[in-house]
Amino acid sequence: MTKKVKNIAVLTSGGDAPGMNAAIRAVVRACSYYKVNCFGIYKGYEGLIHNEIEELNARSVRNIINKGGTFLKSARSKEFRTEEGRKKAFDNLVKNNIDALIVIGGDGSFTGALKLSEEYGFPVVGIPGTIDNDINGTDYTIGYDTALNTVVEAIDKIRDTASSHNRLFLIEVMGRDAGDIALNSGIGAGAEEILIPEEDMGVDRLIESLRKSKKTGKTSSIIVIAEGDKSGKNIFELGEYVEENLEEDYEVRVSVLGHIQRGGSPSCYDRVLASKLGVGAVEALLEGKSEVMVGIVHKTVTIVPLTTALEKRIHKHDQLIKVADITSV
Ligand code: ATP
């Protein structure tokens, strides 16, 4: 028989994402609602190894639902990747009488949680928190919607200067393995071309397409590029290549949006998603579940094994790619 869960700990790990605070808040308040104790672990697995743990109550998480980042801080921990590191982490969980752990993070954080559970039989539940939307088994990850809106706003501003000067802008957005941010922000901001990691468009087709755009009367262009695109060139090399190979009188400029994509107040969508998943994670633990992720599928909170969450996501971008092609003629 599984032990009754009375003390739940929560941590945020890997890259921070807007909405993580809303998820922590929901976890803490669900614990309060179901009358179990809740502990916050600072700095992810690194803080767990160094016993940076504090009890939280419903009032500890007031005024954070609207804040970006994570008040528990996040970290990347090399030590947790080792068996010795995970032993220290487990010992601290036991020392603090904690009997279950909620991990808010991406696939790396889930891999770590799964190892902890497999090695020590410790109950763990994951909540997908990453701006990349690259986790299998959930339609959305916390932070993705906010990042998308931030990117669209930035591209709108760049478009103003692009069209005033007949400029061609190459804009790099986040997404090492997933083109979700590039594709959706590109369509939302009216980009002429979008390069994503899942598809190799080829630089020559890109040049050809830009030539065609020019012939149809376009005087400026926006190209959105996910950081993990498969052109084989970094964005600056790509900019030079385009400038050298495009005969038209475009000035080429490069803009890397970088960390602004992680920051800012979470969108309402992310706050609601985080609240649903935070409550869902506590309920999953109280129902005796472990080694699972709480995600959202067709607007419904859904539980999937962590092993499924860690599988490669099947990207179904075909419709979006077609829409991008049609709307950029
Ligand atoms: P993001 O998608 O934002 O990068 P992430 O959760 O994938 O988030 P990672 O840096 O990959 O971020 O992982 C976060 C932490 O999880 C690592 O610093 C490490 O402590 C732990 N972790 C990652 N991979 C493993 C692994 N194979 N074994 C044990 N722990 C791991």
Side-chain angles (χ1 to χ4, degrees), residues 13-15 45 75-77 80-81 86 105-109 111-112 115 130 176 262:
S13 168
Y45 293 126
R76 303 199 196 261
S77 170
F80 193 77
R81 289 174 182 270
R86 291 194 293 277
D107 56 347
S109 305
T111 305
K115 286 196 176 167
T130 166
R176 270 170 310 198
R262 282 197 189 284

Side-chain angles (χ1 to χ4, degrees), residues 176-328:
R176 270 170 310 198
D177 306 306
D180 295 51
I181 291 183
L183 205 44
N184 286 280
S185 68
I187 292 173
E192 275 64 40
E193 295 295 341
I194 304 166
L195 306 189
I196 57 173
E198 296 89 340
E199 279 234 328
D200 181 10
M201 184 194 194
V203 281
D204 294 324
R205 244 183 72 208
L206 173 67
I207 301 284
E208 202 43 52
S209 171
L210 290 170
R211 276 191 194 123
K212 259 198 217 152
S213 295
K214 184 80 180 171
K215 281 202 188 104
T216 63
K218 289 194 181 182
T219 52
S220 66
S221 287
I222 300 280
I223 306 172
V224 177
I225 304 172
E227 58 184 336
D229 95 285
K230 296 281 182 293
S231 68
K233 296 182 191 298
N234 70 37
I235 190 161
F236 296 99
E237 292 165 349
L238 201 57
E240 279 171 23
Y241 186 86
V242 171
E243 199 152 45
E244 280 161 19
N245 289 276
L246 201 66
E247 306 77 29
E248 322 293 345
D249 59 345
Y250 271 142
E251 282 180 55
V252 177
R253 293 286 185 273
V254 169
S255 180
V256 177
L257 295 189
H259 283 83
I260 64 159
Q261 294 166 89
R262 282 197 189 284
S265 179
S267 65
C268 182
Y269 182 86
D270 272 331
R271 296 181 200 190
V272 175
L273 175 66
S275 302
K276 282 171 153 177
L277 301 189
V279 170
V282 171
E283 288 177 342
L285 283 173
L286 295 179
E287 285 162 15
K289 297 194 172 74
S290 178
E291 297 189 7
V292 294
M293 175 189 78
V294 184
I296 197 94
V297 177
H298 301 315
K299 297 188 184 162
T300 306
V301 173
T302 306
I303 310 273
V304 296
L306 275 178
T307 46
T308 304
L310 289 170
E311 280 166 18
K312 194 166 168 44
R313 198 177 59 138
I314 311 294
H315 298 273
K316 294 204 185 92
H317 286 325
D318 302 4
Q319 267 189 350
L320 278 180
I321 292 171
K322 189 174 170 202
V323 169
D325 285 346
I326 291 174
T327 55
S328 63

Side-chain angles (χ1 to χ4, degrees), residues 38-42 52-56 71:
C38 191
F39 295 81
I41 299 169
Y42 289 88
E52 295 183 48
I53 301 174
E54 190 178 87
E55 189 163 354
L56 301 173
F71 91 100

